[in-house]
PDB file of all heavy atoms in Angstrom:
ATOM      1  N   SER S  33    -164.241-139.657  94.441  1.00  0.00           N
ATOM      2  CA  SER S  33    -164.256-139.959  95.873  1.00  0.00           C
ATOM      3  C   SER S  33    -164.000-141.420  96.209  1.00  0.00           C
ATOM      4  O   SER S  33    -163.673-141.735  97.354  1.00  0.00           O
ATOM      5  CB  SER S  33    -165.597-139.536  96.475  1.00  0.00           C
ATOM      6  OG  SER S  33    -166.649-140.091  95.710  1.00  0.00           O
ATOM      7  N   LEU S  34    -164.163-142.330  95.256  1.00  0.00           N
ATOM      8  CA  LEU S  34    -163.847-143.741  95.477  1.00  0.00           C
ATOM      9  C   LEU S  34    -162.811-144.235  94.470  1.00  0.00           C
ATOM     10  O   LEU S  34    -162.581-145.434  94.351  1.00  0.00           O
ATOM     11  CB  LEU S  34    -165.119-144.604  95.363  1.00  0.00           C
ATOM     12  CG  LEU S  34    -166.234-144.336  96.376  1.00  0.00           C
ATOM     13  CD1 LEU S  34    -167.432-145.246  96.108  1.00  0.00           C
ATOM     14  CD2 LEU S  34    -165.743-144.521  97.811  1.00  0.00           C
ATOM     15  N   TYR S  63    -155.967-143.512  99.276  1.00  0.00           N
ATOM     16  CA  TYR S  63    -156.544-144.145  98.085  1.00  0.00           C
ATOM     17  C   TYR S  63    -155.499-144.979  97.345  1.00  0.00           C
ATOM     18  O   TYR S  63    -154.301-144.674  97.380  1.00  0.00           O
ATOM     19  CB  TYR S  63    -157.081-143.087  97.122  1.00  0.00           C
ATOM     20  CG  TYR S  63    -158.284-142.331  97.622  1.00  0.00           C
ATOM     21  CD1 TYR S  63    -158.140-141.251  98.494  1.00  0.00           C
ATOM     22  CD2 TYR S  63    -159.573-142.691  97.228  1.00  0.00           C
ATOM     23  CE1 TYR S  63    -159.240-140.557  98.949  1.00  0.00           C
ATOM     24  CE2 TYR S  63    -160.680-141.993  97.678  1.00  0.00           C
ATOM     25  CZ  TYR S  63    -160.505-140.927  98.541  1.00  0.00           C
ATOM     26  OH  TYR S  63    -161.600-140.236  98.999  1.00  0.00           O
ATOM     27  N   MET S  69    -154.985-142.840 105.133  1.00  0.00           N
ATOM     28  CA  MET S  69    -155.373-141.629 105.863  1.00  0.00           C
ATOM     29  C   MET S  69    -155.097-141.858 107.356  1.00  0.00           C
ATOM     30  O   MET S  69    -155.254-142.976 107.846  1.00  0.00           O
ATOM     31  CB  MET S  69    -156.875-141.364 105.726  1.00  0.00           C
ATOM     32  CG  MET S  69    -157.399-141.215 104.318  1.00  0.00           C
ATOM     33  SD  MET S  69    -159.226-141.082 104.353  1.00  0.00           S
ATOM     34  CE  MET S  69    -159.588-141.197 102.601  1.00  0.00           C
ATOM     35  N   HIS S  72    -160.535-141.242 109.510  1.00  0.00           N
ATOM     36  CA  HIS S  72    -161.632-141.087 108.549  1.00  0.00           C
ATOM     37  C   HIS S  72    -162.317-139.730 108.706  1.00  0.00           C
ATOM     38  O   HIS S  72    -163.101-139.326 107.849  1.00  0.00           O
ATOM     39  CB  HIS S  72    -162.674-142.197 108.744  1.00  0.00           C
ATOM     40  CG  HIS S  72    -163.482-142.035 109.998  1.00  0.00           C
ATOM     41  ND1 HIS S  72    -163.060-142.503 111.220  1.00  0.00           N
ATOM     42  CD2 HIS S  72    -164.682-141.432 110.225  1.00  0.00           C
ATOM     43  CE1 HIS S  72    -163.962-142.212 112.142  1.00  0.00           C
ATOM     44  NE2 HIS S  72    -164.960-141.562 111.569  1.00  0.00           N
ATOM     45  N   ARG S  74    -163.072-135.951 108.466  1.00  0.00           N
ATOM     46  CA  ARG S  74    -162.685-134.907 107.525  1.00  0.00           C
ATOM     47  C   ARG S  74    -163.246-133.564 107.966  1.00  0.00           C
ATOM     48  O   ARG S  74    -164.364-133.478 108.458  1.00  0.00           O
ATOM     49  CB  ARG S  74    -163.221-135.221 106.125  1.00  0.00           C
ATOM     50  CG  ARG S  74    -162.395-136.225 105.359  1.00  0.00           C
ATOM     51  CD  ARG S  74    -163.006-136.527 104.009  1.00  0.00           C
ATOM     52  NE  ARG S  74    -162.065-137.262 103.165  1.00  0.00           N
ATOM     53  CZ  ARG S  74    -162.388-137.851 102.018  1.00  0.00           C
ATOM     54  NH1 ARG S  74    -163.628-137.794 101.570  1.00  0.00           N
ATOM     55  NH2 ARG S  74    -161.479-138.493 101.325  1.00  0.00           N
ATOM     56  N   TYR S  78    -162.000-130.174 103.406  1.00  0.00           N
ATOM     57  CA  TYR S  78    -161.051-131.226 103.015  1.00  0.00           C
ATOM     58  C   TYR S  78    -160.615-131.129 101.563  1.00  0.00           C
ATOM     59  O   TYR S  78    -159.468-131.454 101.221  1.00  0.00           O
ATOM     60  CB  TYR S  78    -161.617-132.620 103.329  1.00  0.00           C
ATOM     61  CG  TYR S  78    -162.634-133.173 102.351  1.00  0.00           C
ATOM     62  CD1 TYR S  78    -162.242-134.032 101.320  1.00  0.00           C
ATOM     63  CD2 TYR S  78    -163.992-132.880 102.481  1.00  0.00           C
ATOM     64  CE1 TYR S  78    -163.171-134.559 100.433  1.00  0.00           C
ATOM     65  CE2 TYR S  78    -164.919-133.399 101.605  1.00  0.00           C
ATOM     66  CZ  TYR S  78    -164.506-134.243 100.585  1.00  0.00           C
ATOM     67  OH  TYR S  78    -165.435-134.764  99.705  1.00  0.00           O
ATOM     68  N   ASP S 105    -165.170-135.314  93.050  1.00  0.00           N
ATOM     69  CA  ASP S 105    -164.348-134.617  94.041  1.00  0.00           C
ATOM     70  C   ASP S 105    -163.090-134.065  93.387  1.00  0.00           C
ATOM     71  O   ASP S 105    -162.643-132.964  93.710  1.00  0.00           O
ATOM     72  CB  ASP S 105    -163.946-135.585  95.172  1.00  0.00           C
ATOM     73  CG  ASP S 105    -164.883-135.510  96.367  1.00  0.00           C
ATOM     74  OD1 ASP S 105    -166.024-135.034  96.208  1.00  0.00           O
ATOM     75  OD2 ASP S 105    -164.481-135.959  97.459  1.00  0.00           O
ATOM     76  N   THR S 137    -177.211-134.892  95.512  1.00  0.00           N
ATOM     77  CA  THR S 137    -175.872-135.364  95.867  1.00  0.00           C
ATOM     78  C   THR S 137    -175.929-136.216  97.122  1.00  0.00           C
ATOM     79  O   THR S 137    -175.356-137.310  97.183  1.00  0.00           O
ATOM     80  CB  THR S 137    -174.917-134.175  96.102  1.00  0.00           C
ATOM     81  OG1 THR S 137    -175.136-133.183  95.102  1.00  0.00           O
ATOM     82  CG2 THR S 137    -173.479-134.638  96.077  1.00  0.00           C
ATOM     83  N   VAL S 138    -176.628-135.710  98.124  1.00  0.00           N
ATOM     84  CA  VAL S 138    -176.768-136.439  99.380  1.00  0.00           C
ATOM     85  C   VAL S 138    -177.466-137.779  99.140  1.00  0.00           C
ATOM     86  O   VAL S 138    -177.055-138.819  99.669  1.00  0.00           O
ATOM     87  CB  VAL S 138    -177.546-135.591 100.410  1.00  0.00           C
ATOM     88  CG1 VAL S 138    -177.818-136.393 101.681  1.00  0.00           C
ATOM     89  CG2 VAL S 138    -176.772-134.311 100.732  1.00  0.00           C
ATOM     90  N   LYS S 139    -178.497-137.765  98.295  1.00  0.00           N
ATOM     91  CA  LYS S 139    -179.203-139.003  97.974  1.00  0.00           C
ATOM     92  C   LYS S 139    -178.274-139.991  97.274  1.00  0.00           C
ATOM     93  O   LYS S 139    -178.282-141.193  97.558  1.00  0.00           O
ATOM     94  CB  LYS S 139    -180.405-138.695  97.076  1.00  0.00           C
ATOM     95  CG  LYS S 139    -181.219-139.930  96.698  1.00  0.00           C
ATOM     96  CD  LYS S 139    -182.379-139.570  95.774  1.00  0.00           C
ATOM     97  CE  LYS S 139    -183.148-140.821  95.362  1.00  0.00           C
ATOM     98  NZ  LYS S 139    -184.243-140.492  94.412  1.00  0.00           N
ATOM     99  N   GLY S 140    -177.449-139.493  96.353  1.00  0.00           N
ATOM    100  CA  GLY S 140    -176.517-140.354  95.645  1.00  0.00           C
ATOM    101  C   GLY S 140    -175.509-141.000  96.581  1.00  0.00           C
ATOM    102  O   GLY S 140    -175.195-142.191  96.461  1.00  0.00           O
ATOM    103  N   VAL S 141    -175.000-140.212  97.523  1.00  0.00           N
ATOM    104  CA  VAL S 141    -174.044-140.748  98.495  1.00  0.00           C
ATOM    105  C   VAL S 141    -174.724-141.780  99.388  1.00  0.00           C
ATOM    106  O   VAL S 141    -174.154-142.840  99.684  1.00  0.00           O
ATOM    107  CB  VAL S 141    -173.440-139.614  99.349  1.00  0.00           C
ATOM    108  CG1 VAL S 141    -172.549-140.184 100.450  1.00  0.00           C
ATOM    109  CG2 VAL S 141    -172.643-138.657  98.468  1.00  0.00           C
ATOM    110  N   ARG S 142    -175.961-141.498  99.796  1.00  0.00           N
ATOM    111  CA  ARG S 142    -176.690-142.445 100.646  1.00  0.00           C
ATOM    112  C   ARG S 142    -176.929-143.762  99.900  1.00  0.00           C
ATOM    113  O   ARG S 142    -176.793-144.852 100.472  1.00  0.00           O
ATOM    114  CB  ARG S 142    -178.023-141.820 101.083  1.00  0.00           C
ATOM    115  CG  ARG S 142    -178.751-142.638 102.150  1.00  0.00           C
ATOM    116  CD  ARG S 142    -179.971-141.910 102.683  1.00  0.00           C
ATOM    117  NE  ARG S 142    -179.625-140.760 103.512  1.00  0.00           N
ATOM    118  CZ  ARG S 142    -179.896-139.500 103.208  1.00  0.00           C
ATOM    119  NH1 ARG S 142    -180.537-139.207 102.088  1.00  0.00           N
ATOM    120  NH2 ARG S 142    -179.556-138.526 104.025  1.00  0.00           N
ATOM    121  N   ASN S 143    -177.241-143.668  98.612  1.00  0.00           N
ATOM    122  CA  ASN S 143    -177.441-144.882  97.807  1.00  0.00           C
ATOM    123  C   ASN S 143    -176.140-145.670  97.659  1.00  0.00           C
ATOM    124  O   ASN S 143    -176.137-146.904  97.671  1.00  0.00           O
ATOM    125  CB  ASN S 143    -177.982-144.515  96.424  1.00  0.00           C
ATOM    126  CG  ASN S 143    -179.416-144.039  96.456  1.00  0.00           C
ATOM    127  OD1 ASN S 143    -180.134-144.270  97.429  1.00  0.00           O
ATOM    128  ND2 ASN S 143    -179.847-143.354  95.411  1.00  0.00           N
ATOM    129  N   ALA S 144    -175.034-144.950  97.511  1.00  0.00           N
ATOM    130  CA  ALA S 144    -173.738-145.616  97.399  1.00  0.00           C
ATOM    131  C   ALA S 144    -173.378-146.332  98.699  1.00  0.00           C
ATOM    132  O   ALA S 144    -172.848-147.453  98.682  1.00  0.00           O
ATOM    133  CB  ALA S 144    -172.661-144.601  97.046  1.00  0.00           C
ATOM    134  N   LEU S 145    -173.682-145.700  99.827  1.00  0.00           N
ATOM    135  CA  LEU S 145    -173.414-146.328 101.124  1.00  0.00           C
ATOM    136  C   LEU S 145    -174.259-147.587 101.293  1.00  0.00           C
ATOM    137  O   LEU S 145    -173.770-148.617 101.771  1.00  0.00           O
ATOM    138  CB  LEU S 145    -173.700-145.341 102.258  1.00  0.00           C
ATOM    139  CG  LEU S 145    -173.516-145.877 103.679  1.00  0.00           C
ATOM    140  CD1 LEU S 145    -172.086-146.362 103.905  1.00  0.00           C
ATOM    141  CD2 LEU S 145    -173.876-144.793 104.709  1.00  0.00           C
ATOM    142  N   GLU S 146    -175.515-147.513 100.869  1.00  0.00           N
ATOM    143  CA  GLU S 146    -176.388-148.699 100.942  1.00  0.00           C
ATOM    144  C   GLU S 146    -175.836-149.826 100.069  1.00  0.00           C
ATOM    145  O   GLU S 146    -175.843-151.003 100.457  1.00  0.00           O
ATOM    146  CB  GLU S 146    -177.807-148.333 100.496  1.00  0.00           C
ATOM    147  CG  GLU S 146    -178.796-149.483 100.642  1.00  0.00           C
ATOM    148  CD  GLU S 146    -180.210-149.088 100.249  1.00  0.00           C
ATOM    149  OE1 GLU S 146    -180.502-147.880 100.176  1.00  0.00           O
ATOM    150  OE2 GLU S 146    -181.023-150.009 100.017  1.00  0.00           O
ATOM    151  N   ALA S 147    -175.342-149.477  98.892  1.00  0.00           N
ATOM    152  CA  ALA S 147    -174.743-150.491  98.011  1.00  0.00           C
ATOM    153  C   ALA S 147    -173.505-151.099  98.655  1.00  0.00           C
ATOM    154  O   ALA S 147    -173.260-152.315  98.537  1.00  0.00           O
ATOM    155  CB  ALA S 147    -174.378-149.856  96.669  1.00  0.00           C
ATOM    156  N   TYR S 148    -172.739-150.282  99.349  1.00  0.00           N
ATOM    157  CA  TYR S 148    -171.549-150.786 100.036  1.00  0.00           C
ATOM    158  C   TYR S 148    -171.927-151.772 101.136  1.00  0.00           C
ATOM    159  O   TYR S 148    -171.206-152.744 101.402  1.00  0.00           O
ATOM    160  CB  TYR S 148    -170.761-149.608 100.626  1.00  0.00           C
ATOM    161  CG  TYR S 148    -169.463-150.007 101.267  1.00  0.00           C
ATOM    162  CD1 TYR S 148    -168.338-150.285 100.500  1.00  0.00           C
ATOM    163  CD2 TYR S 148    -169.349-150.100 102.661  1.00  0.00           C
ATOM    164  CE1 TYR S 148    -167.138-150.655 101.086  1.00  0.00           C
ATOM    165  CE2 TYR S 148    -168.159-150.468 103.254  1.00  0.00           C
ATOM    166  CZ  TYR S 148    -167.058-150.746 102.463  1.00  0.00           C
ATOM    167  OH  TYR S 148    -165.864-151.117 103.051  1.00  0.00           O
ATOM    168  N   GLN S 149    -173.067-151.519 101.764  1.00  0.00           N
ATOM    169  CA  GLN S 149    -173.505-152.357 102.884  1.00  0.00           C
ATOM    170  C   GLN S 149    -174.252-153.618 102.443  1.00  0.00           C
ATOM    171  O   GLN S 149    -174.366-154.572 103.211  1.00  0.00           O
ATOM    172  CB  GLN S 149    -174.393-151.531 103.824  1.00  0.00           C
ATOM    173  CG  GLN S 149    -173.660-150.392 104.521  1.00  0.00           C
ATOM    174  CD  GLN S 149    -174.593-149.413 105.206  1.00  0.00           C
ATOM    175  OE1 GLN S 149    -175.781-149.301 104.864  1.00  0.00           O
ATOM    176  NE2 GLN S 149    -174.073-148.670 106.172  1.00  0.00           N
ATOM    177  N   LEU S 153    -169.812-154.529  96.603  1.00  0.00           N
ATOM    178  CA  LEU S 153    -169.003-153.327  96.372  1.00  0.00           C
ATOM    179  C   LEU S 153    -167.733-153.303  97.229  1.00  0.00           C
ATOM    180  O   LEU S 153    -166.666-152.906  96.716  1.00  0.00           O
ATOM    181  CB  LEU S 153    -169.843-152.069  96.619  1.00  0.00           C
ATOM    182  CG  LEU S 153    -169.163-150.721  96.351  1.00  0.00           C
ATOM    183  CD1 LEU S 153    -168.640-150.637  94.914  1.00  0.00           C
ATOM    184  CD2 LEU S 153    -170.125-149.573  96.638  1.00  0.00           C
ATOM    185  N   LEU S 157    -164.081-152.689  95.494  1.00  0.00           N
ATOM    186  CA  LEU S 157    -163.220-151.565  95.828  1.00  0.00           C
ATOM    187  C   LEU S 157    -161.888-152.025  96.424  1.00  0.00           C
ATOM    188  O   LEU S 157    -160.842-151.399  96.194  1.00  0.00           O
ATOM    189  CB  LEU S 157    -163.923-150.639  96.821  1.00  0.00           C
ATOM    190  CG  LEU S 157    -165.111-149.832  96.274  1.00  0.00           C
ATOM    191  CD1 LEU S 157    -165.808-149.081  97.407  1.00  0.00           C
ATOM    192  CD2 LEU S 157    -164.668-148.862  95.194  1.00  0.00           C
ATOM    193  N   THR S 165    -159.961-149.566 102.213  1.00  0.00           N
ATOM    194  CA  THR S 165    -161.291-149.370 101.625  1.00  0.00           C
ATOM    195  C   THR S 165    -162.322-148.856 102.620  1.00  0.00           C
ATOM    196  O   THR S 165    -163.015-147.860 102.364  1.00  0.00           O
ATOM    197  CB  THR S 165    -161.797-150.681 100.995  1.00  0.00           C
ATOM    198  OG1 THR S 165    -160.865-151.101  99.999  1.00  0.00           O
ATOM    199  CG2 THR S 165    -163.166-150.493 100.370  1.00  0.00           C
ATOM    200  N   GLU S 166    -162.432-149.513 103.756  1.00  0.00           N
ATOM    201  CA  GLU S 166    -163.479-149.141 104.716  1.00  0.00           C
ATOM    202  C   GLU S 166    -163.299-147.714 105.210  1.00  0.00           C
ATOM    203  O   GLU S 166    -164.269-146.954 105.323  1.00  0.00           O
ATOM    204  CB  GLU S 166    -163.494-150.114 105.902  1.00  0.00           C
ATOM    205  CG  GLU S 166    -164.669-149.870 106.834  1.00  0.00           C
ATOM    206  CD  GLU S 166    -164.852-150.979 107.871  1.00  0.00           C
ATOM    207  OE1 GLU S 166    -164.254-152.059 107.719  1.00  0.00           O
ATOM    208  OE2 GLU S 166    -165.613-150.736 108.826  1.00  0.00           O
ATOM    209  N   MET S 167    -162.054-147.325 105.464  1.00  0.00           N
ATOM    210  CA  MET S 167    -161.810-145.977 105.969  1.00  0.00           C
ATOM    211  C   MET S 167    -162.157-144.920 104.927  1.00  0.00           C
ATOM    212  O   MET S 167    -162.765-143.893 105.249  1.00  0.00           O
ATOM    213  CB  MET S 167    -160.358-145.796 106.410  1.00  0.00           C
ATOM    214  CG  MET S 167    -160.106-144.419 106.999  1.00  0.00           C
ATOM    215  SD  MET S 167    -158.457-144.173 107.680  1.00  0.00           S
ATOM    216  CE  MET S 167    -158.592-145.062 109.220  1.00  0.00           C
ATOM    217  N   LEU S 168    -161.805-145.152 103.661  1.00  0.00           N
ATOM    218  CA  LEU S 168    -162.071-144.113 102.664  1.00  0.00           C
ATOM    219  C   LEU S 168    -163.570-143.983 102.380  1.00  0.00           C
ATOM    220  O   LEU S 168    -164.068-142.881 102.143  1.00  0.00           O
ATOM    221  CB  LEU S 168    -161.264-144.350 101.384  1.00  0.00           C
ATOM    222  CG  LEU S 168    -161.639-145.442 100.402  1.00  0.00           C
ATOM    223  CD1 LEU S 168    -162.683-144.972  99.399  1.00  0.00           C
ATOM    224  CD2 LEU S 168    -160.388-145.898  99.640  1.00  0.00           C
ATOM    225  N   VAL S 169    -164.293-145.110 102.425  1.00  0.00           N
ATOM    226  CA  VAL S 169    -165.746-145.045 102.245  1.00  0.00           C
ATOM    227  C   VAL S 169    -166.383-144.295 103.409  1.00  0.00           C
ATOM    228  O   VAL S 169    -167.264-143.446 103.218  1.00  0.00           O
ATOM    229  CB  VAL S 169    -166.353-146.462 102.111  1.00  0.00           C
ATOM    230  CG1 VAL S 169    -167.878-146.409 102.171  1.00  0.00           C
ATOM    231  CG2 VAL S 169    -165.902-147.117 100.811  1.00  0.00           C
ATOM    232  N   LYS S 170    -165.913-144.578 104.600  1.00  0.00           N
ATOM    233  CA  LYS S 170    -166.436-143.894 105.785  1.00  0.00           C
ATOM    234  C   LYS S 170    -166.133-142.400 105.724  1.00  0.00           C
ATOM    235  O   LYS S 170    -166.983-141.560 106.037  1.00  0.00           O
ATOM    236  CB  LYS S 170    -165.825-144.512 107.050  1.00  0.00           C
ATOM    237  CG  LYS S 170    -166.523-144.094 108.338  1.00  0.00           C
ATOM    238  CD  LYS S 170    -166.003-144.916 109.519  1.00  0.00           C
ATOM    239  CE  LYS S 170    -166.801-144.593 110.777  1.00  0.00           C
ATOM    240  NZ  LYS S 170    -166.333-145.366 111.948  1.00  0.00           N
ATOM    241  N   ALA S 171    -164.913-142.068 105.304  1.00  0.00           N
ATOM    242  CA  ALA S 171    -164.522-140.662 105.206  1.00  0.00           C
ATOM    243  C   ALA S 171    -165.418-139.903 104.237  1.00  0.00           C
ATOM    244  O   ALA S 171    -165.879-138.789 104.529  1.00  0.00           O
ATOM    245  CB  ALA S 171    -163.061-140.561 104.762  1.00  0.00           C
ATOM    246  N   TRP S 172    -165.666-140.507 103.089  1.00  0.00           N
ATOM    247  CA  TRP S 172    -166.486-139.859 102.057  1.00  0.00           C
ATOM    248  C   TRP S 172    -167.941-139.742 102.489  1.00  0.00           C
ATOM    249  O   TRP S 172    -168.543-138.669 102.428  1.00  0.00           O
ATOM    250  CB  TRP S 172    -166.382-140.642 100.753  1.00  0.00           C
ATOM    251  CG  TRP S 172    -167.295-140.149  99.667  1.00  0.00           C
ATOM    252  CD1 TRP S 172    -167.412-138.871  99.195  1.00  0.00           C
ATOM    253  CD2 TRP S 172    -168.225-140.934  98.911  1.00  0.00           C
ATOM    254  NE1 TRP S 172    -168.358-138.810  98.189  1.00  0.00           N
ATOM    255  CE2 TRP S 172    -168.869-140.069  97.995  1.00  0.00           C
ATOM    256  CE3 TRP S 172    -168.563-142.288  98.909  1.00  0.00           C
ATOM    257  CZ2 TRP S 172    -169.844-140.512  97.107  1.00  0.00           C
ATOM    258  CZ3 TRP S 172    -169.519-142.732  98.005  1.00  0.00           C
ATOM    259  CH2 TRP S 172    -170.156-141.842  97.121  1.00  0.00           C
ATOM    260  N   THR S 173    -168.544-140.838 102.932  1.00  0.00           N
ATOM    261  CA  THR S 173    -169.983-140.826 103.220  1.00  0.00           C
ATOM    262  C   THR S 173    -170.319-140.014 104.466  1.00  0.00           C
ATOM    263  O   THR S 173    -171.320-139.298 104.489  1.00  0.00           O
ATOM    264  CB  THR S 173    -170.528-142.259 103.363  1.00  0.00           C
ATOM    265  OG1 THR S 173    -169.797-142.965 104.388  1.00  0.00           O
ATOM    266  CG2 THR S 173    -170.394-143.025 102.049  1.00  0.00           C
ATOM    267  N   GLU S 174    -169.498-140.083 105.492  1.00  0.00           N
ATOM    268  CA  GLU S 174    -169.826-139.373 106.738  1.00  0.00           C
ATOM    269  C   GLU S 174    -169.857-137.863 106.541  1.00  0.00           C
ATOM    270  O   GLU S 174    -170.754-137.189 107.044  1.00  0.00           O
ATOM    271  CB  GLU S 174    -168.846-139.754 107.854  1.00  0.00           C
ATOM    272  CG  GLU S 174    -169.177-141.093 108.483  1.00  0.00           C
ATOM    273  CD  GLU S 174    -168.512-141.281 109.840  1.00  0.00           C
ATOM    274  OE1 GLU S 174    -167.827-140.354 110.324  1.00  0.00           O
ATOM    275  OE2 GLU S 174    -168.700-142.368 110.420  1.00  0.00           O
ATOM    276  N   ILE S 175    -168.880-137.315 105.804  1.00  0.00           N
ATOM    277  CA  ILE S 175    -168.866-135.864 105.647  1.00  0.00           C
ATOM    278  C   ILE S 175    -170.022-135.395 104.774  1.00  0.00           C
ATOM    279  O   ILE S 175    -170.708-134.422 105.093  1.00  0.00           O
ATOM    280  CB  ILE S 175    -167.498-135.372 105.094  1.00  0.00           C
ATOM    281  CG1 ILE S 175    -167.437-133.845 105.081  1.00  0.00           C
ATOM    282  CG2 ILE S 175    -167.220-135.908 103.708  1.00  0.00           C
ATOM    283  CD1 ILE S 175    -167.408-133.183 106.416  1.00  0.00           C
ATOM    284  N   TRP S 176    -170.282-136.107 103.678  1.00  0.00           N
ATOM    285  CA  TRP S 176    -171.348-135.673 102.766  1.00  0.00           C
ATOM    286  C   TRP S 176    -172.747-135.892 103.349  1.00  0.00           C
ATOM    287  O   TRP S 176    -173.693-135.195 102.968  1.00  0.00           O
ATOM    288  CB  TRP S 176    -171.219-136.388 101.422  1.00  0.00           C
ATOM    289  CG  TRP S 176    -170.211-135.728 100.528  1.00  0.00           C
ATOM    290  CD1 TRP S 176    -168.884-136.027 100.423  1.00  0.00           C
ATOM    291  CD2 TRP S 176    -170.438-134.630  99.634  1.00  0.00           C
ATOM    292  NE1 TRP S 176    -168.276-135.189  99.522  1.00  0.00           N
ATOM    293  CE2 TRP S 176    -169.195-134.327  99.018  1.00  0.00           C
ATOM    294  CE3 TRP S 176    -171.562-133.881  99.282  1.00  0.00           C
ATOM    295  CZ2 TRP S 176    -169.052-133.304  98.078  1.00  0.00           C
ATOM    296  CZ3 TRP S 176    -171.411-132.861  98.342  1.00  0.00           C
ATOM    297  CH2 TRP S 176    -170.182-132.582  97.751  1.00  0.00           C
ATOM    298  N   LEU S 177    -172.892-136.818 104.279  1.00  0.00           N
ATOM    299  CA  LEU S 177    -174.202-137.070 104.878  1.00  0.00           C
ATOM    300  C   LEU S 177    -174.403-136.298 106.189  1.00  0.00           C
ATOM    301  O   LEU S 177    -175.470-136.373 106.791  1.00  0.00           O
ATOM    302  CB  LEU S 177    -174.384-138.576 105.131  1.00  0.00           C
ATOM    303  CG  LEU S 177    -174.399-139.452 103.876  1.00  0.00           C
ATOM    304  CD1 LEU S 177    -174.547-140.928 104.254  1.00  0.00           C
ATOM    305  CD2 LEU S 177    -175.521-139.033 102.914  1.00  0.00           C
ATOM    306  N   SER S 178    -173.388-135.550 106.610  1.00  0.00           N
ATOM    307  CA  SER S 178    -173.502-134.802 107.860  1.00  0.00           C
ATOM    308  C   SER S 178    -174.321-133.519 107.658  1.00  0.00           C
ATOM    309  O   SER S 178    -174.332-132.933 106.576  1.00  0.00           O
ATOM    310  CB  SER S 178    -172.110-134.443 108.389  1.00  0.00           C
ATOM    311  OG  SER S 178    -171.484-133.503 107.522  1.00  0.00           O
ATOM    312  N   ASN S 179    -174.972-133.097 108.727  1.00  0.00           N
ATOM    313  CA  ASN S 179    -175.761-131.859 108.668  1.00  0.00           C
ATOM    314  C   ASN S 179    -174.868-130.641 108.481  1.00  0.00           C
ATOM    315  O   ASN S 179    -175.225-129.695 107.771  1.00  0.00           O
ATOM    316  CB  ASN S 179    -176.585-131.704 109.952  1.00  0.00           C
ATOM    317  CG  ASN S 179    -177.797-132.625 109.963  1.00  0.00           C
ATOM    318  OD1 ASN S 179    -178.364-132.916 108.916  1.00  0.00           O
ATOM    319  ND2 ASN S 179    -178.177-133.098 111.140  1.00  0.00           N
ATOM    320  N   PHE S 181    -172.202-130.255 106.801  1.00  0.00           N
ATOM    321  CA  PHE S 181    -171.615-130.080 105.475  1.00  0.00           C
ATOM    322  C   PHE S 181    -172.623-129.514 104.472  1.00  0.00           C
ATOM    323  O   PHE S 181    -172.244-129.103 103.375  1.00  0.00           O
ATOM    324  CB  PHE S 181    -171.067-131.419 104.970  1.00  0.00           C
ATOM    325  CG  PHE S 181    -170.103-131.286 103.813  1.00  0.00           C
ATOM    326  CD1 PHE S 181    -168.878-130.660 103.971  1.00  0.00           C
ATOM    327  CD2 PHE S 181    -170.429-131.785 102.558  1.00  0.00           C
ATOM    328  CE1 PHE S 181    -167.986-130.537 102.911  1.00  0.00           C
ATOM    329  CE2 PHE S 181    -169.548-131.669 101.487  1.00  0.00           C
ATOM    330  CZ  PHE S 181    -168.320-131.043 101.670  1.00  0.00           C
ATOM    331  N   TYR S 207    -175.454-137.512  90.909  1.00  0.00           N
ATOM    332  CA  TYR S 207    -174.866-136.820  92.055  1.00  0.00           C
ATOM    333  C   TYR S 207    -174.962-135.297  91.973  1.00  0.00           C
ATOM    334  O   TYR S 207    -174.499-134.604  92.883  1.00  0.00           O
ATOM    335  CB  TYR S 207    -173.389-137.206  92.211  1.00  0.00           C
ATOM    336  CG  TYR S 207    -173.183-138.613  92.728  1.00  0.00           C
ATOM    337  CD1 TYR S 207    -172.976-139.667  91.841  1.00  0.00           C
ATOM    338  CD2 TYR S 207    -173.187-138.894  94.088  1.00  0.00           C
ATOM    339  CE1 TYR S 207    -172.776-140.965  92.300  1.00  0.00           C
ATOM    340  CE2 TYR S 207    -173.001-140.179  94.558  1.00  0.00           C
ATOM    341  CZ  TYR S 207    -172.787-141.211  93.660  1.00  0.00           C
ATOM    342  OH  TYR S 207    -172.597-142.494  94.119  1.00  0.00           O
TER     343      TYR S 207
END
Side-chain angles (χ1 to χ4, degrees):
S33 52
L34 298 179
Y63 292 82
M69 302 174 189
H72 72 275
R74 280 178 168 169
Y78 79 96
D105 265 20
T137 318
V138 175
K139 181 182 178 183
V141 175
R142 189 173 289 115
N143 289 342
L145 178 59
E146 184 178 343
Y148 184 78
Q149 294 168 338
L153 183 57
L157 290 174
T165 301
E166 187 169 346
M167 183 175 284
L168 74 86
V169 170
K170 193 171 186 180
W172 174 53
T173 57
E174 281 198 3
I175 186 68
W176 278 92
L177 296 178
S178 68
N179 284 328
F181 197 66
Y207 287 95

